[in-house]
Amino acid sequence: MKINIKEIPNEYSKIGGAIVVFSMQNDDGYEFRPPAVKLDEATGEALSKAAASSDFKGKFGQMVEILAPVGVAASRILLVGIGEEAKFTPLKAEQIGGKVINKLMYSNEKDVTIVIGKHAAHCAMGVLLRHYKFDKYYTTEKNIKKISVEQVTILTLEAKKVAKEFKEFEKIADGVIWARNLVSEPGNVIYPESYLEQIKELESLGVEIEVLNEERMEELGMEAILGVGQGSASETLMVIMKWMGSKDKSAQPIAFVGKGVTFDTGGISLKPGAGMEDMKFDMGGSAAVVGAMKALAGRKAKANVIGVVGLVENMPSGTAQRPGDVVSSMSGQTIEVINTDAEGRLVLADCLWYCQDTYKPKFMIDLATLTGAMMIALGQDYAGIFSNNDELCERLTAAGQTVDEPVWRMPIGDGYDKLIDSDIADMKNVGGRYAGSITAAQFLQRFVNETPWIHIDIAGTAWRQKPSDVAEKGATGYGVRLLDQLVRDHYED
Ligand code: BES
Ligand code: ZN
Ligand code: ZN
C-alpha cells in the first residue's frame, strides 16, 4: 500500500474515494475540526445531520459514516472522534490511524484521504501497521478477503516536515512487518538455514553478517546451544549482525541478543499436543532483533549495534538430548539439563557469553519467548524485564511508553538464584514450580558478568489472540519499535 503526504488544500469537494475528517469532544458535545466544518457546508450539512441522528459525541474512536454524500466527489465521508484535544497524543494519533484503516480496509474503496493537522506522521504509522495481514498462504476465493485500499493520502499542515518524519517511521514499520512475517511463517518454512537466508537480506542495507556453524560452535565450547539442536535434522547456527552506523566505527557497540528457536516441541520433555503449533513463534525474540537491525540500518541510525541470534530447532529424536544430560557452555560453566523444554535459556547462555566476550558491549538486551509463566504473570500487554542495571531499565521503560510496547520490571536476587543450583553440575536449567520466569532470568544472569543487561521475556507479547489498534491478531513484531526507540533516545551520535 502506498502512503502519500500532502499539504491541506483549500477545499475538499473534488477529492474522490473515502475522506476521513475529525471531530473533538468538548464540554458541550462534539466540535468539528475545520475540514469537517468545510465538508459539512459542502454537503448540505450531511455531517451535522448524521452526527445528530446517531449518538456521536466526538469520543475517541467514535465513527459516523456518510455514504454517497451530495455536493462532493467523495464516495463516502468518515467522521471520526478524537476525544479531548489536549489528550490527543502521538500514540492516540497512531491508534486513530489504525482504527480508520481497519474500518475502511475491506470497504471496496481504493483511495482513502485522511485530513489531520496534528501528529500526522504518527497517524500514518498507525495506518501502515494496522494494514498488515499475513495472508500469503490463502489461495481460494473463499479465503481471500480482499483488502480494497491501495492508496492512503494524508493531508496535513507542514507536509514536508511530516513526510520527512514519516520516512523514518516507514523504515521502522519495515522492521516490524518483517519481524511479523518471520514469526508467522511455519516451522517447515523458517528453520535455521532458511532463516539465515532471510537474515542475509540485511546485507543490502549495509549490515555485516557473520555465521557460526556447528563446527565453529563446537570449537568454542558452546555445548549449551548445540545440545538443544542435537535432535534436529537442521544445522544449529549462531548469526551475528553488525550495523556500524556511528561516526566512530571503533566506538563501543550496544548489543541485542535473541532466542531463535524456530520450533519448540519441547524435545524429549515433549510438550502436550494441543496448541503445540503455536511454538513456531518461539523465534520471536530473534525476529525482534533482526527486525530492529533492519529498522536501524534502514534509517541509518548513527549507532554501532551488534545483533546476535541463536537459531535452532528443538526436536525429539534418537539423537536428541536427554533429561539429566550434563553439558558445558562457552563460559565453562556446566549445566544439568533437567527439562529439555527449558531450551531457550540454554540457547541464550552461549549467545550472551559470546556477545559479551567478543564485543565488550556497552550493554546487552536479550529478547525471548522464554517462559509460559510470563504470560501467567503479566498477560499480553506488558513484557517482563529482568536486569542488573537501574538506569538502563528506566530508559527502556520510557522507550516502551513512547511506542506503546510497555515493559514491567520483575525482581531478581540471590534467593531465586539458589533455586537453580544443581546436585551434580554448576546449575540446572529449571528451578521448580515457583517464580518460573525469574529463575529463567537468574539462569541467564549467570552468563552475564558486569555488563549492564536486560532480559525481556516476550512470551506474552509476541503474539496476540485478538487484534489491537495497530496490529492484526497474530504476530505483533513486539520489540522492534522498543529497541529502535531506545537507540533513538540515548545511543546515537
Ligand atoms: N518456548 C517456551 C515458553 C513458552 C511457553 C512461551 C508457552 C509461550 C507459551 C519455553 O521454551 C518453555 O517451554 N518453557 C518452559 C519452561 C519450563 C520447562 C521450566 C515453560 O514455560 O513451560
Ligand atoms: Zn521449551
Ligand atoms: Zn522455547
Side-chain angles (χ1 to χ4, degrees), residues 259 261 264 279 282 341 343-344 369-370:
K259 168 180 173 182
V261 174
D264 181 13
M279 284 301 131
D282 212 20
D341 195 12
E343 84 298 340
T369 48
L370 205 63

PDB file of all heavy atoms in Angstrom, residues 259 261 264 279 282 341 343-344 369-370, ligand 3:
ATOM      1  N   LYS A 259      16.464 -15.085  21.164  1.00  0.00           N
ATOM      2  CA  LYS A 259      16.194 -16.526  21.120  1.00  0.00           C
ATOM      3  C   LYS A 259      15.527 -16.854  19.795  1.00  0.00           C
ATOM      4  O   LYS A 259      14.451 -16.354  19.493  1.00  0.00           O
ATOM      5  CB  LYS A 259      15.280 -16.925  22.287  1.00  0.00           C
ATOM      6  CG  LYS A 259      14.693 -18.350  22.177  1.00  0.00           C
ATOM      7  CD  LYS A 259      13.797 -18.700  23.366  1.00  0.00           C
ATOM      8  CE  LYS A 259      13.089 -20.045  23.173  1.00  0.00           C
ATOM      9  NZ  LYS A 259      12.186 -20.393  24.281  1.00  0.00           N
ATOM     10  N   VAL A 261      14.484 -20.077  18.512  1.00  0.00           N
ATOM     11  CA  VAL A 261      14.090 -21.483  18.420  1.00  0.00           C
ATOM     12  C   VAL A 261      12.996 -21.561  17.347  1.00  0.00           C
ATOM     13  O   VAL A 261      11.866 -21.124  17.567  1.00  0.00           O
ATOM     14  CB  VAL A 261      13.628 -22.026  19.783  1.00  0.00           C
ATOM     15  CG1 VAL A 261      13.092 -23.448  19.644  1.00  0.00           C
ATOM     16  CG2 VAL A 261      14.796 -21.999  20.772  1.00  0.00           C
ATOM     17  N   ASP A 264       9.667 -25.238  18.785  1.00  0.00           N
ATOM     18  CA  ASP A 264       9.936 -25.813  20.102  1.00  0.00           C
ATOM     19  C   ASP A 264       8.924 -26.911  20.417  1.00  0.00           C
ATOM     20  O   ASP A 264       7.821 -26.641  20.867  1.00  0.00           O
ATOM     21  CB  ASP A 264       9.873 -24.701  21.167  1.00  0.00           C
ATOM     22  CG  ASP A 264      10.176 -25.229  22.568  1.00  0.00           C
ATOM     23  OD1 ASP A 264      10.669 -26.383  22.676  1.00  0.00           O
ATOM     24  OD2 ASP A 264       9.927 -24.492  23.539  1.00  0.00           O
ATOM     25  N   MET A 279       4.133 -23.021  18.786  1.00  0.00           N
ATOM     26  CA  MET A 279       5.569 -22.906  19.099  1.00  0.00           C
ATOM     27  C   MET A 279       6.445 -22.588  17.884  1.00  0.00           C
ATOM     28  O   MET A 279       7.666 -22.548  17.975  1.00  0.00           O
ATOM     29  CB  MET A 279       6.059 -24.159  19.823  1.00  0.00           C
ATOM     30  CG  MET A 279       5.622 -24.182  21.270  1.00  0.00           C
ATOM     31  SD  MET A 279       6.255 -22.734  22.165  1.00  0.00           S
ATOM     32  CE  MET A 279       4.762 -22.165  22.977  1.00  0.00           C
ATOM     33  N   ASP A 282       8.447 -19.384  18.570  1.00  0.00           N
ATOM     34  CA  ASP A 282       9.475 -19.388  19.604  1.00  0.00           C
ATOM     35  C   ASP A 282      10.792 -18.752  19.144  1.00  0.00           C
ATOM     36  O   ASP A 282      11.787 -18.753  19.856  1.00  0.00           O
ATOM     37  CB  ASP A 282       9.705 -20.826  20.091  1.00  0.00           C
ATOM     38  CG  ASP A 282      10.099 -20.884  21.558  1.00  0.00           C
ATOM     39  OD1 ASP A 282       9.829 -19.908  22.278  1.00  0.00           O
ATOM     40  OD2 ASP A 282      10.690 -21.904  21.961  1.00  0.00           O
ATOM     41  N   ASP A 341      12.672 -28.983  27.602  1.00  0.00           N
ATOM     42  CA  ASP A 341      11.773 -27.924  27.125  1.00  0.00           C
ATOM     43  C   ASP A 341      12.202 -26.542  27.642  1.00  0.00           C
ATOM     44  O   ASP A 341      11.721 -25.520  27.161  1.00  0.00           O
ATOM     45  CB  ASP A 341      10.333 -28.235  27.560  1.00  0.00           C
ATOM     46  CG  ASP A 341       9.307 -27.400  26.820  1.00  0.00           C
ATOM     47  OD1 ASP A 341       9.677 -26.756  25.813  1.00  0.00           O
ATOM     48  OD2 ASP A 341       8.135 -27.403  27.245  1.00  0.00           O
ATOM     49  N   GLU A 343      14.697 -24.861  26.922  1.00  0.00           N
ATOM     50  CA  GLU A 343      15.820 -24.808  25.984  1.00  0.00           C
ATOM     51  C   GLU A 343      16.266 -23.389  25.662  1.00  0.00           C
ATOM     52  O   GLU A 343      17.421 -23.167  25.298  1.00  0.00           O
ATOM     53  CB  GLU A 343      15.465 -25.559  24.683  1.00  0.00           C
ATOM     54  CG  GLU A 343      14.686 -24.751  23.645  1.00  0.00           C
ATOM     55  CD  GLU A 343      13.312 -24.278  24.105  1.00  0.00           C
ATOM     56  OE1 GLU A 343      12.780 -24.865  25.063  1.00  0.00           O
ATOM     57  OE2 GLU A 343      12.786 -23.303  23.529  1.00  0.00           O
ATOM     58  N   GLY A 344      15.332 -22.428  25.800  1.00  0.00           N
ATOM     59  CA  GLY A 344      15.657 -21.058  25.391  1.00  0.00           C
ATOM     60  C   GLY A 344      16.840 -20.514  26.167  1.00  0.00           C
ATOM     61  O   GLY A 344      17.744 -19.879  25.612  1.00  0.00           O
ATOM     62  N   THR A 369      10.946 -15.517  23.889  1.00  0.00           N
ATOM     63  CA  THR A 369       9.679 -16.122  24.332  1.00  0.00           C
ATOM     64  C   THR A 369      10.093 -17.228  25.301  1.00  0.00           C
ATOM     65  O   THR A 369      10.072 -18.400  24.965  1.00  0.00           O
ATOM     66  CB  THR A 369       8.940 -16.715  23.116  1.00  0.00           C
ATOM     67  OG1 THR A 369       9.877 -17.505  22.360  1.00  0.00           O
ATOM     68  CG2 THR A 369       8.367 -15.638  22.221  1.00  0.00           C
ATOM     69  N   LEU A 370      10.464 -16.815  26.503  1.00  0.00           N
ATOM     70  CA  LEU A 370      11.215 -17.742  27.359  1.00  0.00           C
ATOM     71  C   LEU A 370      10.353 -18.634  28.245  1.00  0.00           C
ATOM     72  O   LEU A 370      10.663 -19.803  28.411  1.00  0.00           O
ATOM     73  CB  LEU A 370      12.231 -16.964  28.215  1.00  0.00           C
ATOM     74  CG  LEU A 370      13.428 -17.792  28.673  1.00  0.00           C
ATOM     75  CD1 LEU A 370      14.255 -18.284  27.490  1.00  0.00           C
ATOM     76  CD2 LEU A 370      14.322 -17.029  29.629  1.00  0.00           C
TER      77      LEU A 370
HETATM   78 ZN    ZN B   3      11.038 -22.331  23.819  1.00  0.00          ZN
END
